[in-house]
Amino acid sequence: MRTFGVEEEFLLVDGRDGRPRASASAVLGVAGERSDGRVAAELQLEQVEVETDPCKTLDELSAQIRAARRRMAASAHAMGVEIAALGTSPLHVDASLTPSHRYERMAERFGLTIHEQLTCGCHVHVAVDSDEEGVAVLDRIRPWLAPLLAMSANSPFWQGRDSKYASFRSQVWARQPSAGPTEPFGSARAYQETVRAMIDSDVLLDPGMIYFDARLSDRYPTVEVRVPDVCLHADDAVLVAAVCRALVETAVREWRAGRPVWQIRTELLRLAMWRAGRSGLETELIDPRGFRPAPAGAVLDALLAHVRPALEDAGEQAVVGDLRAELVRRGTGSGIQRAAYARTGRLEDVVADVVRRTVA
């Protein structure tokens, strides 16, 4: 069984008015004493990150995600703020850069792109046996990444306005020069040569700024899928992670069987990702089997059919089916945020609802 884990980023918000607060240093000081150290600062002082350990089962991952959220929430509350699983802040914020030589260099080089990069994602790590296997995975999961964004969409508001996107975070993130889909690499050597060329261009500071939709982790022996928003509900994070692991396992099986990489133009993948960020699961997505519009439910059916053998072999088919049904019934974070706003017309109430659901 391949191990997997997630990194979740959260906003720190004032429990009274819902506005982000630059409290990461204080919160992490408390959180570090209450955890095994898997907490981290992020680009802005208004956000924090938590990581799970590598897990083998969905039950283990679910328990770790919930425990990490509760611990971080308690640490934040002790410092007078709350954590919120928001891809972007609904309320206006002038974000504060975390003091760091690296972040200061990034801000100097990329200007407003960095200063406005207060976004929260969910990164899924899935173990691979080698870089060669990992690149074989990257080349084969490309068509199926956009539906993961649609499933996790949780950032409809930006600086006090409805963005009209289900995931506006995906739009903000796309301004990074290395972000987005990639062409197939074909080999680990070609992947590493591409990364080295990007660093040698003197645009990116270091390998940590390789922000592909999916990449080889520079810290762990994993493939790291980076497209999802931070999920509002813990169950949705478990669902996204389960599908990611099944995608990796399916890709490895195809590679070992000698099946060729599906040749799809990167331009089409960008369109699919835009569509997923724009509409989430509410209307249509682009079906990767023919790159034509299709109901979101039909695209999810195709994704789960693609990975069904891997899910069945892991004994996860029924659980994933139940989690998917609950997501469809409840709706994505973007829909829940908009519904909260429709009830009261107050973005402060949207944030309060998210704070409650983050640790529910």
Side-chain angles (χ1 to χ4, degrees):
M1 183 75 72
R2 292 181 187 277
T3 58
F4 64 154
V6 301
E7 301 167 352
E8 292 191 292
E9 298 164 345
F10 301 106
L11 288 187
L12 297 171
V13 301
D14 191 302
R16 296 161 298 179
D17 64 16
R19 295 190 180 276
R21 295 292 180 237
S23 303
S25 298
V27 171
L28 289 172
V30 175
E33 299 172 358
R34 299 183 177 187
S35 73
D36 59 2
R38 290 185 174 273
V39 296
E42 271 297 326
L43 180 65
Q44 311 289 6
L45 285 170
E46 291 82 3
Q47 61 188 155
V48 291
E49 179 185 271
V50 298
E51 300 180 15
T52 70
D53 291 322
C55 299
K56 290 186 177 180
T57 69
L58 295 188
D59 285 345
E60 183 184 3
L61 182 68
S62 177
Q64 287 215 18
I65 288 172
R66 286 172 164 79
R69 288 186 175 206
R70 288 194 299 268
R71 285 195 303 268
M72 185 58 78
S75 300
H77 191 72
M79 294 293 101
V81 292
E82 311 293 341
I83 66 166
L86 288 161
T88 55
S89 172
L91 294 157
H92 178 79
V93 56
D94 290 318
S96 308
L97 194 70
T98 297
S100 156
H101 178 63
R102 178 174 182 265
Y103 289 157
E104 289 168 359
R105 290 180 63 204
M106 289 170 62
E108 180 179 358
R109 181 163 300 185
F110 299 105
L112 196 61
T113 295
I114 294 299
H115 287 291
E116 291 190 343
Q117 196 62 63
L118 182 58
T119 63
C120 294
C122 172
H123 303 159
V124 181
H125 288 260
V126 183
V128 289
D129 291 339
S130 66
D131 284 357
E132 207 66 50
E133 181 175 277
V135 170
V137 168
L138 297 180
D139 289 353
R140 287 166 172 80
I141 65 174
R142 299 160 66 242
W144 299 105
L145 295 180
L148 297 176
L149 174 62
M151 293 163 61
S152 66
N154 186 31
S155 48
F157 297 106
W158 177 256
Q159 297 286 33
R161 300 178 60 184
D162 191 322
S163 69
K164 307 303 180 184
Y165 284 78
S167 170
F168 196 67
R169 167 192 162 272
S170 61
Q171 292 295 300
V172 177
W173 186 254
R175 293 185 291 181
Q176 296 283 357
S178 63
T182 61
E183 287 292 297
F185 295 100
S187 68
R189 178 178 178 179
Y191 178 92
Q192 300 297 352
E193 287 176 347
T194 300
V195 169
R196 176 47 52 197
M198 294 175 75
I199 303 303
D200 289 347
S201 73
D202 199 33
V203 174
L204 309 182
L205 299 184
D206 51 47
M209 289 195 72
I210 298 295
Y211 295 143
F212 301 153
D213 287 345
R215 68 182 185 183
L216 299 183
S217 172
D218 62 347
R219 295 188 296 160
Y220 307 120
T222 62
V223 164
E224 180 184 0
V225 178
R226 302 174 53 83
V227 296
D229 282 3
V230 65
C231 295
L232 176 52
H233 294 97
D235 275 350
D236 296 344
V238 175
L239 172 61
V240 167
V243 174
C244 285
R245 179 164 69 169
L247 276 171
V248 170
E249 179 61 26
T250 300
V252 170
R253 293 178 183 186
E254 292 175 343
W255 173 58
R256 290 175 177 168
R259 294 181 59 182
V261 171
W262 196 354
Q263 298 296 325
I264 298 174
R265 296 282 303 187
T266 302
E267 295 89 343
L268 292 175
L269 296 176
R270 289 186 180 278
L271 295 183
M273 197 64 71
W274 181 89
R275 182 74 266 171
R278 180 65 172 84
S279 58
L281 298 180
E282 295 175 4
T283 56
E284 293 182 324
L285 297 174
I286 295 179
D287 190 327
R289 295 169 299 178
F291 274 81
R292 295 291 186 272
V299 175
L300 289 192
D301 286 344
L303 169 59
L304 294 183
H306 175 67
V307 300
R308 180 174 292 119
L311 291 175
E312 290 176 343
D313 290 347
E316 297 171 352
Q317 176 72 12
V319 175
V320 167
D322 289 345
L323 291 173
R324 181 265 178 96
E326 178 62 15
L327 170 63
V328 172
R329 182 199 65 78
R330 186 198 324 114
T332 61
S334 61
I336 290 170
Q337 288 190 52
R338 286 192 171 112
Y341 183 72
R343 288 193 296 270
T344 69
R346 287 170 41 86
L347 290 173
E348 296 86 347
D349 294 336
V350 173
V351 178
D353 184 59
V354 168
V355 168
R356 178 180 63 81
R357 292 174 183 269
T358 298
V359 293

